[in-house]
Amino acid sequence: MQHTDIRQIATELVQLLGPTDWAIGGSFLLQCYGIEPQARDLDLVCTLQRFEEFKTLLSQYAQVVPVSLHPIYRSKGFARFRKNGLELELMAGIQVLKDDGLQAFEFLPEKTSWQQDLPLMQLADWLELYQLFERPKRVKQLQYYLNSNPEVIRSQI
């Protein structure tokens, strides 16, 4: 999957889903900041209120991929799609099962940062999500970037 293909699909999603209540995260977000050389997929986070609507729109745009229950991820809304070989994941009401119960992440659309005509999530939010998802390599990678580029955090507050 080429960089332009992912960016093209992301741009098409802005047209499909509209400009509010969702944002891009994951490896493509990291790619947009130059942290990750190549995104493998496109992670979309949306509000729980719009999840079913966005899921329907995406199912008309891309092929639905069946999802099996994950041992610790317990998001209230989760769907996977494939478009031109690229995997898209739509999630809402993100929750992860921990030893002490469910831990939730609240997506706040007003924190979305528009860059290059794409709605991007805050890097600090993905740091929190990677910690929640127990992805130590990503946590370390993002902490290093944010510590080396403190102006990024200031610009996102």
Side-chain angles (χ1 to χ4, degrees):
M1 179 62 46
Q2 293 302 308
H3 173 81
T4 51
D5 296 340
I6 295 177
R7 184 167 296 283
Q8 178 61 41
I9 288 173
T11 302
E12 289 172 8
L13 291 177
V14 174
Q15 298 302 312
L16 180 74
L17 303 177
T20 59
D21 298 328
W22 70 282
I24 295 167
S27 61
F28 185 68
L29 171 66
L30 301 188
Q31 180 182 316
C32 288
Y33 279 92
I35 302 168
E36 185 62 37
Q38 183 62 54
R40 297 173 314 285
D41 59 7
L42 199 49
D43 292 323
L44 313 173
V45 179
C46 70
T47 60
L48 202 49
Q49 294 81 0
R50 305 274 314 266
F51 176 79
E52 289 301 328
E53 175 189 348
F54 289 160
K55 182 179 166 185
T56 299
L57 289 168
L58 283 165
S59 68
Q60 295 163 0
Y61 170 79
Q63 175 189 353
V64 176
V65 177
V67 180
S68 53
L69 183 66
H70 191 278
I72 67 164
Y73 299 161
R74 294 285 183 268
S75 295
K76 293 176 182 173
F78 185 84
R80 187 175 286 141
F81 307 89
R82 191 166 288 119
K83 176 77 170 179
N84 302 341
L86 177 70
E87 202 161 89
L88 311 166
E89 291 186 342
L90 177 67
M91 49 197 118
I94 297 171
Q95 300 181 129
V96 176
L97 187 60
K98 299 285 189 177
D99 291 339
D100 56 350
L102 283 174
Q103 285 188 17
F105 169 82
E106 184 182 3
F107 170 63
L108 300 171
E110 60 272 16
K111 290 172 70 179
T112 299
S113 168
W114 280 85
Q115 294 180 37
Q116 301 163 13
D117 296 322
L118 296 174
L120 302 180
M121 287 184 67
Q122 303 285 327
L123 287 173
D125 285 345
W126 271 87
L127 177 58
E128 184 182 333
L129 282 167
Y130 283 138
Q131 289 167 333
L132 197 59
F133 296 157
E134 298 176 7
R135 304 275 304 277
K137 179 179 167 272
R138 285 286 193 218
V139 168
K140 191 173 178 182
Q141 182 184 31
L142 209 38
Q143 282 174 331
Y144 177 80
Y145 178 84
L146 291 171
N147 289 337
S148 305
N149 299 276
E151 71 282 358
V152 172
I153 291 183
R154 283 196 298 277
S155 73
Q156 294 188 345
I157 295 174

